[in-house]
Amino acid sequence: MTYEELLRHMEWADAEIWRAVLTTPAALEDEEIRERLHHVHLVPWVWLSMCRGEAPVLRPISDFPQLRDIFSWSRPVYEELRSYRSGLSEEELDGEVEMPWREHLEKRFGTVHPTRQRDGLNQVVLHGQYHRGQINTRLRALGGEPPMVDYIAWIWQGRPEPDWVE
C-alpha cells in the first residue's frame, strides 16, 4: 500500500465521519465531538506545515464558532497533502522534519530521535484513525450510527472516493 492509498482512505473515512456527525442532531451541539473534529483536522495542517519547513499555525477552536466552520477548514488539507507528497522524491522522504517543540518532547520522552518526512506523513494518517474511533464511540453514545471506517472496509467497498456531505 502506498501513502496515496492511505491518504485516500483517510479522506474517505473523514467524509463518512462528517456525514454521520452532521446527520446526528445530538452530535451537532456536542462539545466533545466539536473538540475531536477540530483536533483531527488541526494535526494534518500542523504536520504539513512542519514538513514544508514552515512554522505551524495552531488555530484554536475559538477560530471556529460553528461545527460547519471546522468542516470547511478541514476539506482542503487532503489535496494539500497529496500535492506535497507528490512533489517529494523517495530520497526527500527521508529528510528530517524540524520539530519546533523539541525541548518539550525531550522533557517528556528523554532523547528524541529524528523525525523523517515519511514519519510525519504517516503520523497524519495514523493519528486520524485513532481519533475517528473516539468520535464513533461518542456518536454511538449520542444515539447516532457510527460509520464503519476501517481501512479493510474501504477495500471491501472497492476503494470508493469520499462522498462529502454538503
Side-chain angles (χ1 to χ4, degrees), residues 62-91:
S62 60
D63 282 359
F64 308 98
Q66 304 296 318
L67 191 61
R68 283 221 174 243
D69 298 329
I70 297 170
F71 176 76
S72 297
W73 166 67
S74 73
R75 295 283 305 278
V77 78
Y78 308 98
E79 181 56 38
E80 291 283 331
L81 285 163
R82 272 191 294 279
S83 176
Y84 180 73
R85 169 55 186 101
S86 70
L88 292 176
S89 69
E90 284 299 310
E91 189 174 278

Side-chain angles (χ1 to χ4, degrees), residues 5-21 37 40 78 125-137 139-140 145-157 159-164:
E5 287 176 301
L6 291 174
L7 185 57
R8 284 184 57 229
H9 166 261
M10 181 177 91
E11 183 176 6
W12 169 81
D14 284 348
E16 294 298 303
I17 291 289
W18 274 107
R19 177 177 306 287
V21 166
L37 286 168
V40 162
Y78 308 98
V125 173
L126 296 172
H127 180 267
Q129 189 67 8
Y130 172 78
H131 287 300
R132 281 190 293 277
Q134 292 176 325
I135 293 167
N136 269 346
T137 299
L139 271 171
R140 185 177 307 281
E145 184 60 37
M148 170 59 84
V149 293
D150 285 1
Y151 180 82
I152 198 68
W154 178 69
I155 299 296
W156 292 335
Q157 294 176 61
R159 295 174 169 87
E161 293 299 319
D163 184 16
W164 288 101

Side-chain angles (χ1 to χ4, degrees), residues 25-135:
L28 296 174
E29 302 301 321
D30 187 75
E31 193 59 26
E32 186 176 330
I33 292 276
R34 186 169 168 267
E35 288 171 4
R36 286 275 183 255
L37 286 168
H38 171 261
H39 180 74
V40 162
H41 297 297
L42 177 65
V43 166
W45 284 116
V46 167
W47 273 101
L48 182 61
S49 63
M50 288 189 311
C51 286
R52 288 175 171 164
E54 304 165 354
V57 178
L58 302 172
R59 294 200 54 195
I61 197 167
S62 60
D63 282 359
F64 308 98
Q66 304 296 318
L67 191 61
R68 283 221 174 243
D69 298 329
I70 297 170
F71 176 76
S72 297
W73 166 67
S74 73
R75 295 283 305 278
V77 78
Y78 308 98
E79 181 56 38
E80 291 283 331
L81 285 163
R82 272 191 294 279
S83 176
Y84 180 73
R85 169 55 186 101
S86 70
L88 292 176
S89 69
E90 284 299 310
E91 189 174 278
E92 289 170 318
L93 280 170
D94 287 324
E96 192 172 335
V97 176
E98 180 62 38
M99 300 300 293
W101 42 79
R102 185 179 194 96
E103 286 182 24
H104 170 74
L105 296 173
E106 287 171 344
K107 286 178 186 171
R108 182 169 182 188
F109 300 115
T111 301
V112 175
H113 297 276
T115 303
R116 302 169 301 170
Q117 293 276 337
R118 71 176 74 245
D119 300 323
L121 293 171
N122 284 331
Q123 172 62 14
V124 167
V125 173
L126 296 172
H127 180 267
Q129 189 67 8
Y130 172 78
H131 287 300
R132 281 190 293 277
Q134 292 176 325
I135 293 167

